[in-house]
Amino acid sequence: MKTALHRPYTKAHPHLLRRGVRAFLRFKMLYLLLIPGMLYFTVFKYVPMAGIVIAFKNYNLALGIWDSPWVGWKNFKDFITGVYFWDIMGNTILISLYKLVFGFPAPIVLALLLNEVRQHWFKRFVQTITYMPHFLSWVIVYGLLVALFAPGEGFVNLLLKPYGIGPIAFMTEPEWARFMIVSSDVWKEIGWGAILYLAALAGIDPSLYEAARIDGASKWRQLWHVTLPGIRTVMVMLLIIKLSHILDAGFDQIFMMANAFNSEKIDILDTWVYREGLERLKIGLATAVGLFKAVIGFILVVLANQLAKKFDGQIW
């Protein structure tokens, strides 16, 4: 006698189809809400992926994408063997790692501190002034940095002057370049990232803290055994997202802050692609670099998923 396990896989079960239709009708409004998001990703993310073929062509504006001659892996070879490859790759990876090391834990620390504040007005005030910089463009932030750190009349140099220090050219000296890039990025995004962790902290069951206090757990023990495990899911998710953008060191920021004096320390893949692709019209080479970044990001996301699954039992 044949059981359901012996039935051919290709034969659909009518009740499964009916169940799927009922589920769709039951949640039809939720499915309809998905349509704008799906259209956005389809039109602006998936359809443009057809242009990846430019990476394997000697792209000519007059001939277009499909009529431009194929060159195979030449664009990738030219990029990897280029004289600036190791410099821009080193800058990109270093700046991204600095932002990850200092920028990833900073919102967590801020959220944990704000979570302990009992004065709601002060908590809201701090939240407001810390996440407002997120909405400022890097043009405005650069103007603020110039006002604060300019070597002549910058506020910081004016404070240092009575102590016989300076003037220090924070915005032009190469040894300060990466520090300014990383610190300004952390300042700009710390409050916005803390919002996500505060939302996760609000979802922790208060009875867990009560049980920990009854067992005699100190504040540090409660933090280690209750708070951090409670926001671990959000931490892992955001870490995976950051790893996927490890080669995106921040074009807008570095494009604004780079100059002839400090570019050797902060010139990254994106700014190099901008010069080669848009200024020198080497569009095939620029596309090849973009595809190279995408592949590296995909590999890092897969590895991060596997690590999350192995050590935390989480699958994204």
Side-chain angles (χ1 to χ4, degrees):
M1 181 177 178
K2 290 186 177 181
T3 63
L5 294 176
H6 295 89
R7 293 173 186 171
Y9 180 78
T10 55
K11 290 185 178 180
H13 298 287
H15 72 278
L16 293 177
L17 180 61
R18 289 195 298 270
R19 188 166 63 181
V21 172
R22 285 197 301 268
F24 175 79
L25 293 176
R26 181 182 178 185
F27 302 105
K28 59 182 179 181
M29 294 307 299
L30 296 178
Y31 286 112
L32 289 175
L33 290 174
L34 282 175
I35 293 177
M38 295 299 295
L39 286 176
Y40 167 79
F41 281 100
T42 300
V43 174
F44 295 103
K45 300 294 182 179
Y46 291 107
V47 172
M49 287 178 67
I52 288 175
V53 298
I54 297 176
F56 304 94
K57 291 192 170 191
N58 182 16
Y59 181 71
N60 188 301
L61 290 173
L63 297 176
I65 295 178
W66 306 113
D67 293 329
S68 296
W70 292 90
V71 293
W73 298 95
K74 182 179 182 301
N75 290 322
F76 295 91
K77 183 179 178 181
D78 290 344
F79 168 62
I80 295 174
T81 59
V83 66
Y84 297 109
F85 174 77
W86 293 109
D87 291 335
I88 61 175
M89 280 297 295
N91 290 338
T92 303
I93 293 173
L94 278 176
I95 292 174
S96 295
L97 287 178
Y98 288 153
K99 287 184 176 182
L100 182 64
V101 170
F102 297 103
F104 181 73
I108 301 175
V109 174
L110 177 61
L112 294 175
L113 293 174
L114 289 175
N115 192 53
E116 297 298 322
V117 175
R118 295 296 172 257
Q119 296 292 334
H120 294 290
W121 67 268
F122 181 74
K123 183 177 181 178
R124 290 194 296 268
F125 172 75
V126 174
Q127 282 186 267
T128 302
I129 63 174
T130 53
Y131 76 66
M132 280 185 62
H134 171 79
F135 300 98
L136 299 178
S137 71
W138 278 110
V139 178
I140 298 174
V141 173
Y142 178 73
L144 293 174
L145 292 175
V146 170
L148 290 171
F149 297 100
E153 299 299 324
F155 179 72
V156 174
N157 276 303
L158 289 178
L159 291 178
L160 296 175
K161 188 175 180 180
Y163 301 97
I165 303 174
I168 302 174
F170 293 100
M171 305 300 294
T172 55
E173 291 186 6
E175 56 267 24
W176 285 99
R178 290 172 183 163
F179 172 80
M180 297 300 298
I181 291 289
V182 176
S183 58
S184 60
D185 182 77
V186 172
W187 168 78
K188 189 173 184 292
E189 301 298 335
I190 185 174
W192 184 253
I195 293 176
L196 302 177
Y197 293 109
L198 284 171
L201 289 169
I204 299 177
D205 189 353
S207 64
L208 297 176
Y209 290 104
E210 184 178 353
R213 285 192 295 269
I214 293 174
D215 290 338
S218 64
K219 279 289 185 180
W220 287 108
R221 287 290 183 180
Q222 294 176 40
L223 173 67
W224 186 257
H225 294 288
V226 179
T227 305
L228 291 180
I231 63 174
R232 182 174 55 191
T233 301
V234 178
M235 292 169 60
V236 173
M237 180 184 67
L238 295 180
L239 179 61
I240 291 174
I241 294 174
K242 283 186 173 293
L243 286 176
S244 68
H245 295 281
I246 197 70
L247 294 183
D248 296 323
F251 171 78
D252 294 345
Q253 178 191 19
I254 294 179
F255 184 76
M256 288 302 306
M257 298 180 66
N259 52 61
F261 302 98
N262 63 15
S263 60
E264 63 177 286
K265 293 291 185 179
I266 61 175
D267 192 22
I268 60 172
L269 281 173
D270 289 340
T271 52
W272 185 83
V273 167
Y274 172 81
R275 294 195 303 272
E276 295 295 316
L278 295 181
E279 293 183 356
R280 301 174 186 173
L281 293 180
K282 297 181 180 180
I283 299 177
L285 179 60
T287 307
V289 178
L291 181 57
F292 171 79
K293 286 177 53 182
V295 171
I296 298 297
F298 175 76
I299 293 173
L300 290 174
V301 167
V302 172
L303 292 176
N305 280 333
Q306 294 300 317
L307 289 175
K309 179 180 177 181
K310 180 178 180 180
F311 294 107
D312 200 31
Q314 300 182 60
I315 304 175
W316 302 93

